[in-house]
Amino acid sequence: MTENQTLTVRDNRTGEEFEIPITDGTIRAGDLGKIGRTDDDPGLAVYDPGFTNTASTRSAVTYIDGDKGILEYRGYPIEQLAESSTFLEVAYLLIHGELPTREQHDQWVHEITFHTFVHENLKSQLQGFRYDAHPMGMLLSSVGALSTFYPEARAIRDPQVRHDQIVRLIAKMPTLGAWSFRHAQGKPYVYPDNDLSYTENFLSMLFKMSEQKYNPDPRLAKALEVLFILHADHEQNCSTNAVRSVGSSEVDPYSAVSAGIAALYGPLHGGANEAVLKMLKRIGTPDKIPAFIEGVKRGDEKLMGFGHRVYKNFDPRATIIKKAVDDVFEVTGVNPLLEIAQELERIALEDDYFISRKLYPNVDFYSGLIYEALQFPPEMFTVLFAIPRTAGWLAQWLELVDDKEQKIARPKQIYTGDRTLDFVPAAQRWA
Ligand code: CMC
């Protein structure tokens, strides 16, 4: 078996044959570069827009089997983590690679809790935004600005410096996210309350008004905790790739993470749950569902919240979120859109169009309903994704920084433009 782990390639341009090793189901692009290489020709390369079939790294952070609907962080199934862990414990697991001892856990939680405040000048920066600024724009620029408050963060080879910035980033994201939310409402920013848990404190900074102490409903805090766990990492997606690509220049982690936030901001990445909500509102009542489904099958539109590039079976995160929906609605009252969502799901899962294309509900099908029940406007949905994903981005960034095989990201291109034109100065061209 092992001796057959090669690929024989015959270059029909020259008749030459090459034997290329196969490791872990991949060949090295550099080995292909030996094919056809001459003094004038750099050799064969791979053309793969969107990196749909190119492994950019080895990683031990997150495992996904899309056909079987499996998602694991550091080997632990997402179902078990969502059921029995906390977001901060999961963040520790992602960053450190193993579960914490009691002492490690307590110290980690203490460190994160006592770094939640941000410099007052950053508050002034946020206050300078227009009244209708999108909270994701505010978040990405304020995370980028953090690098100016901690210039030592540039020492990315120093483990202690790295640790300090990781703690700061995970700790300050809820503060910056909540303040971006309050800004749009013209409400005063609420300072962190270090007596509360990570998600309770976030809820307090979002919703506290004149009361001395904000006491979030534990069921809502728990539901948010589960959503944070589900969104903490998802291997080499667009934003993680952005963090790794920018991080490969050895810039500080604040700048790398702000690149990840920028990537997440895009509607193809972080915005589908908002689209689900709009779709459910447009359908309006269950009797309109059959006509809507027929429209989808005719190709008039998509059933948003269904289908996934990687999952060709149930998205395991969708199954968990469905359970959290019940807990949230117990507190907030049932959103009438839930009935439409459930009926849509029931019909779609019995319909050959969806079955044959392996289209199942994804993470976004139910999460928008929860966010709306928690009184978030749609613009905040992506912020709620960015806060927990920071743990995953940083785990992947740490892996990158320590990976001896990594180099500055610099893809090739196939040049399609003109060559060796003679430049005619403007005065002559315009004469
Ligand atoms: N509704 C109706 N038909 C669909 C849908 C859908 N939601 N998704 C895919 N199809 C059809 C598609 O038209 C194609 O049909 P045909 O073979 O007849 O041309 C077939 O299924 C295969 O689809 P595809 O576009 O080749 O699949 P993809 O892997 O390129 O796209 C996707 C994946 C997520 C972009 C797509 O399923 C989609 O647009 N879904 C709706 C948007 C959505 O819910 N996005 C959230 C993704 S989960 C968040 C995350 O993890 O980042």
Side-chain angles (χ1 to χ4, degrees):
M1 181 71 185
T2 335
E3 70 268 20
N4 289 336
Q5 295 295 304
T6 61
L7 177 75
T8 302
V9 181
R10 183 185 153 84
D11 185 347
N12 291 325
R13 297 170 300 180
T14 59
E16 228 181 324
E17 280 200 356
F18 296 83
E19 194 168 338
I20 296 175
I22 299 175
T23 313
D24 299 324
T26 62
I27 57 169
R28 287 193 171 251
D31 286 338
L32 284 182
K34 292 174 193 158
I35 299 174
R37 184 182 296 161
T38 63
D39 286 347
D40 301 327
D41 190 333
L44 203 63
V46 175
Y47 179 54
D48 187 8
F51 309 125
T52 57
N53 194 28
T54 298
S56 61
T57 186
R58 293 175 174 280
S59 180
V61 180
T62 289
Y63 175 80
I64 299 177
D65 183 329
D67 290 327
K68 298 199 181 108
I70 294 173
L71 169 61
E72 295 170 358
Y73 297 157
R74 301 283 188 186
Y76 293 98
I78 191 69
E79 293 79 5
Q80 294 179 20
L81 295 171
E83 174 79 30
S84 315
S85 187
T86 61
F87 171 69
L88 283 188
E89 188 181 34
V90 167
Y92 184 99
L93 173 69
L94 287 167
I95 300 283
H96 293 89
E98 50 193 37
L99 290 169
T101 61
R102 181 191 293 270
E103 289 72 31
Q104 287 166 336
H105 172 267
D106 292 351
Q107 194 192 337
W108 173 248
V109 173
H110 179 86
E111 276 188 293
I112 303 277
T113 308
F114 283 84
H115 283 87
T116 47
F117 278 68
V118 298
H119 195 288
E120 282 293 293
N121 288 0
L122 202 57
K123 185 171 152 195
S124 313
Q125 187 200 317
L126 287 172
Q127 282 168 330
F129 278 92
R130 285 180 63 94
Y131 70 95
D132 59 352
H134 195 290
M136 277 298 274
M138 294 179 71
L139 187 67
L140 89 86
S141 59
S142 52
V143 169
L146 279 177
S147 71
T148 67
F149 291 86
Y150 307 107
E152 72 274 19
R154 272 176 261 162
I156 62 161
R157 298 276 157 221
D158 183 327
Q160 186 58 47
V161 170
R162 290 198 303 226
H163 173 81
D164 293 348
Q165 314 323 310
I166 286 170
V167 166
R168 284 179 174 140
L169 264 164
I170 295 175
K172 295 180 200 310
M173 283 296 281
T175 314
L176 295 173
W179 287 7
S180 306
F181 171 72
R182 302 281 291 202
H183 182 80
Q185 305 185 322
K187 291 180 180 162
Y189 300 172
V190 177
Y191 285 98
D193 180 343
N194 291 348
D195 293 338
L196 299 175
S197 76
Y198 192 78
T199 51
E200 286 171 342
N201 174 46
F202 182 48
L203 287 168
S204 164
M205 291 188 289
L206 288 162
F207 300 122
K208 184 170 183 289
M209 288 307 289
S210 61
E211 60 271 45
Q212 277 297 314
K213 190 148 188 92
Y214 185 81
N215 291 312
D217 190 301
R219 290 167 296 180
L220 296 186
K222 170 70 185 156
L224 205 53
E225 193 94 29
V226 170
L227 285 161
F228 277 11
I229 291 172
L230 299 184
H231 286 91
D233 197 51
H234 213 226
E235 53 118 304
Q236 307 310 315
N237 54 83
C238 177
S239 57
T240 301
N241 185 58
V243 170
R244 280 181 173 265
S245 186
V246 171
S248 75
S249 73
E250 304 202 348
V251 74
D252 67 86
Y254 300 104
S255 303
V257 166
S258 67
I261 299 172
L264 192 69
Y265 196 174
L268 292 188
H269 193 4
N273 44 19
E274 187 182 338
V276 171
L277 216 66
K278 284 192 184 139
M279 175 189 76
L280 295 175
K281 283 184 178 160
R282 194 159 44 87
I283 296 173
T285 48
D287 58 301
K288 306 261 172 51
I289 292 175
F292 173 80
I293 293 274
E294 284 313 308
V296 170
K297 286 160 65 175
R298 276 197 309 272
D300 295 348
E301 60 183 309
K302 280 185 169 175
L303 173 51
M304 298 308 286
F306 263 63
H308 197 275
R309 171 61 62 78
V310 180
Y311 295 117
K312 299 302 172 195
N313 197 320
F314 262 92
D315 178 339
R317 302 169 299 174
T319 316
I320 300 166
I321 284 191
K322 236 174 118 173
K323 283 194 215 140
V325 166
D326 296 335
D327 298 340
V328 171
F329 287 173
E330 200 181 298
V331 183
T332 61
V334 175
N335 184 333
L337 297 176
L338 177 66
E339 195 192 343
I340 298 173
Q342 285 171 332
E343 185 60 7
L344 258 182
E345 181 185 341
R346 191 190 64 74
I347 293 176
L349 291 181
E350 285 173 359
D351 192 303
D352 190 53
Y353 175 93
F354 299 92
I355 296 170
S356 61
R357 288 170 179 77
K358 301 187 176 175
L359 300 173
Y360 294 92
N362 60 46
V363 68
D364 290 318
F365 193 64
Y366 285 105
S367 62
L369 284 176
I370 298 190
Y371 294 149
E372 193 182 60
L374 293 172
Q375 295 171 31
F376 290 112
E379 312 84 70
M380 269 302 282
F381 292 3
T382 325
V383 172
L384 295 163
F385 191 157
I387 292 171
R389 182 55 60 87
T390 301
W393 287 331
L394 290 168
Q396 303 267 353
W397 172 77
L398 266 185
E399 199 172 54
L400 165 95
V401 173
D402 273 342
D403 186 343
K404 300 274 181 289
E405 281 198 318
Q406 288 296 334
K407 292 177 181 300
I408 184 166
R410 205 317 185 176
K412 283 195 168 220
Q413 64 168 8
I414 301 170
Y415 180 67
T416 60
D418 291 328
R419 292 285 324 281
T420 57
L421 303 178
D422 278 325
F423 177 72
V424 181
Q428 277 174 257
R429 290 196 323 272
W430 300 338

